[in-house]
């Protein structure tokens, strides 16, 4: 396959050294990036040791990487150019990078930089040590309300930053909420994100299928905007408290039907406070204009009632077991 030109960073190129693993498979172990100073023409190389795989996405694999020069650790997203032969896939990656590189906030996975060689594109990212909330909920089943307060407050913080910059994430889900070594949320994977030219613009199409998809995206007629992220936040909060997503069904078609009809219940065997239910119900309203704004979410009594205490931190042990509150 001829390597398509991505022309995302014309000053960078790279080569990778390979070795064979015990099964005889060729594996990249070291990635070398060559940077060229556009004004002087001088080149410099940067080597990264590729470590264990952290996860797989639709068209990329993400690995642990260590810079040989600085010993700093990163997550490196490797996208084979064979997956970018279709111009749509290439445009999607370009859009993701264009949006991600302009976002800088404590609640967003930090974009470091991009380089490419003949076979792959590489995106260097801030490393999140505690996986995503997807793995967290699988281990824990469901979280306590103080934990949900803690994480939701951070999710609001990061989403507000994106929305202030006219960016809609459009794929907020547990698997895209990473947890760093301090147990803080970092929003990642901007693969479906879009940047509006002005805040009143409406988007009509989306390249891909968001997991916690809002009804107006399924419907498609009137376009969609920032409120799709509020919907996803409602799905996230429900899932954290109940242990499974609200509209889950046997297949995608049935899930979409349930979303359009807006059918979900709070199971009797799980105790969820009335305040939490009220906030979830408000975020999961079919009509986007009825959903609360981020400020209204933050000022909801779930966060602001007198007896509510948002934890300042969570213990590392809460990745595997319920924290004991003193
Ligand atoms: P895709 O855009 O192809 O879906 P993702 O960005 O979702 O790829 O990454 C795939 C997986 O890689 C994630 O589910 C996660 O397990 C892991 N991963 C991605 N980014 C990081 C990161 N910054 N730190 C740690 N793990 C990560």
């Amino acid at each position: 396959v001829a390597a398509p030109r991505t022309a995302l960073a014309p000053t960078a190129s790279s080569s990778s050294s390979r070795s064979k693993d015990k099964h005889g498979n060729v594996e990249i172990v070291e990635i070398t990036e060559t940077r060229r100073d556009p004004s002087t023409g001088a080149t410099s190389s940067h080597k990264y040791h590729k470590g264990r795989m952290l996860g797989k996405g639709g068209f990329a694999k993400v690995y642990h990487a260590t810079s040989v020069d600085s010993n700093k650790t990163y997550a490196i997203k490797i996208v084979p150019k064979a997956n970018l032969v279709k111009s749509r896939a290439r445009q999607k990656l370009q859009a993701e990078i264009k949006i991600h590189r302009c976002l800088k906030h404590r609640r967003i996975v930090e974009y470091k930089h991009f380089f490419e060689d003949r076979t792959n594109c590489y995106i260097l990212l801030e490393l999140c040590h505690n996986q995503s909330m997807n793995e967290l909920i699988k281990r824990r089943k469901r979280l306590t309300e103080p934990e949900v307060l803690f994480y939701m407050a951070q999710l609001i913080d990061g989403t507000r930053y994106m929305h202030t910059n006219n960016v809609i994430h459009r794929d907020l889900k547990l698997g895209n909420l990473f947890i760093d070594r301090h147990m803080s949320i970092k929003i990642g994977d901007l693969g479906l994100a879009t940047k509006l030219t002005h805040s009143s613009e409406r988007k009509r199409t989306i390249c891909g299928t968001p997991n916690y998809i809002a009804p107006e995206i399924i419907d498609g007629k009137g376009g969609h905007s920032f409120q799709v992220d509020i919907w996803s936040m409602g799905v996230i909060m429900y899932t954290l408290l109940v242990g499974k997503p609200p509209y889950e069904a046997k297949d995608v078609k049935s899930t979409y039907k349930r979303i359009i009809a807006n059918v979900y219940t709070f199971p009797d065997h799980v105790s969820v406070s009335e305040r939490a239910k009220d906030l979830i119900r408000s975020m999961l309203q079919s009509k986007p204009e009825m959903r609360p704004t981020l400020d209204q979410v933050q000022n909801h009594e779930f966060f602001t009632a007198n007896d509510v205490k948002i934890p300042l931190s969570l213990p590392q042990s809460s990745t595997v077991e319920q924290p004991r509150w003193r």
Side-chain angles (χ1 to χ4, degrees):
V1 183
R5 276 191 58 76
T6 44
L8 288 157
T11 54
S13 69
S14 85
S15 62
S16 45
S17 56
R18 291 145 199 267
S19 76
K20 285 188 178 173
D21 68 11
K22 60 177 187 276
H23 308 292
N25 298 319
V26 175
E27 214 193 355
I28 300 174
V29 287
E30 192 171 77
I31 302 163
T32 307
E33 175 199 0
T34 309
R35 283 186 218 165
R36 198 172 68 85
D37 186 322
S39 50
T40 64
T43 55
S44 60
S45 330
H46 300 265
K47 280 195 169 70
Y48 302 94
H49 278 305
K50 198 188 86 178
R52 68 187 169 88
M53 188 164 81
L54 296 166
K56 271 194 233 206
F59 64 139
K61 283 183 185 157
V62 181
Y63 294 87
H64 192 280
T66 312
S67 159
V68 173
D69 312 322
S70 66
N71 221 16
K72 282 191 182 147
T73 53
Y74 300 95
I76 194 161
K77 188 163 171 170
I78 306 184
V79 187
K81 287 191 171 176
N83 295 354
L84 299 174
V85 174
K86 289 194 181 134
S87 71
R88 212 181 159 90
R90 220 155 49 237
Q91 277 166 16
K92 201 166 162 255
L93 183 69
Q94 274 169 335
E96 174 179 350
I97 290 167
K98 196 173 159 198
I99 293 173
H100 201 171
R101 74 188 333 170
C102 297
L103 298 176
K104 209 167 164 47
H105 190 263
R106 59 195 167 151
R107 301 289 171 234
I108 314 274
V109 172
E110 195 181 337
Y111 171 94
K112 302 286 182 181
H113 73 276
F114 170 91
F115 55 97
E116 59 187 312
D117 58 21
R118 279 183 45 219
T119 38
N120 298 310
C121 290
Y122 304 88
I123 305 170
L124 211 61
L125 299 165
E126 168 186 13
L127 175 66
C128 299
H129 288 80
N130 282 308
Q131 299 174 294
S132 79
M133 296 200 87
N134 210 14
E135 288 82 31
L136 174 70
I137 214 68
K138 276 194 189 129
R139 279 191 304 264
R140 289 281 311 279
K141 181 92 179 111
R142 65 182 79 89
L143 304 185
T144 61
E145 285 201 17
E147 290 172 281
V148 175
L149 274 165
F150 176 84
Y151 288 123
M152 286 300 293
Q154 297 189 351
L155 178 57
I156 293 169
D157 190 21
T159 308
R160 178 179 288 113
Y161 169 77
M162 290 189 287
H163 288 191
T164 307
N165 286 285
N166 276 348
V167 171
I168 318 174
H169 186 286
R170 302 200 293 188
D171 200 16
L172 292 176
K173 59 172 182 175
L174 296 187
N176 286 340
L177 302 179
F178 299 103
I179 305 175
D180 75 2
R181 61 161 98 241
H182 309 294
M183 301 300 292
S184 283
I185 281 189
K186 303 272 179 173
I187 302 172
D189 192 357
L190 284 111
L192 296 187
T194 188
K195 188 170 166 79
L196 305 181
T197 42
H198 48 86
S199 62
S200 57
E201 184 193 355
R202 293 191 71 77
K203 281 285 164 188
R204 294 195 179 264
T205 51
I206 178 166
C207 187
T209 312
N211 274 267
Y212 296 167
I213 191 169
E216 65 270 27
I217 300 180
I218 302 177
D219 174 67
K221 287 192 199 102
H224 62 267
S225 188
F226 298 105
Q227 297 90 352
V228 298
D229 285 344
I230 306 287
W231 172 275
S232 306
M233 286 168 67
V235 177
I236 288 168
M237 185 167 159
Y238 178 102
T239 311
L240 293 178
L241 288 169
V242 171
K244 65 175 183 56
Y247 304 100
E248 197 171 64
K250 63 179 193 307
D251 53 42
V252 178
K253 213 172 148 192
S254 321
T255 302
Y256 282 11
K257 268 194 188 153
R258 289 190 63 186
I259 292 171
I260 295 290
N262 209 341
V263 183
Y264 70 94
T265 52
F266 290 96
D268 291 336
H269 65 277
V270 185
S271 109
V272 177
S273 71
E274 276 313 311
R275 286 172 190 155
K277 285 182 185 170
D278 186 78
L279 178 54
I280 292 167
R281 285 191 193 110
S282 73
M283 293 193 275
L284 293 181
Q285 292 188 83
S286 303
K287 285 197 180 126
E289 64 276 13
M290 298 294 287
R291 289 173 215 149
T293 61
L294 284 171
D295 284 337
Q296 287 167 336
V297 174
Q298 195 168 29
N299 289 321
H300 188 275
E301 58 172 359
F302 177 68
F303 294 102
T304 55
N306 281 336
D307 54 337
V308 171
K309 283 197 195 75
I310 305 181
L312 294 173
S313 63
L314 292 180
Q316 181 78 33
S317 62
S318 68
T319 56
V320 286
E321 61 185 11
Q322 189 171 321
R324 276 182 292 267
W325 310 107
R326 273 176 285 162

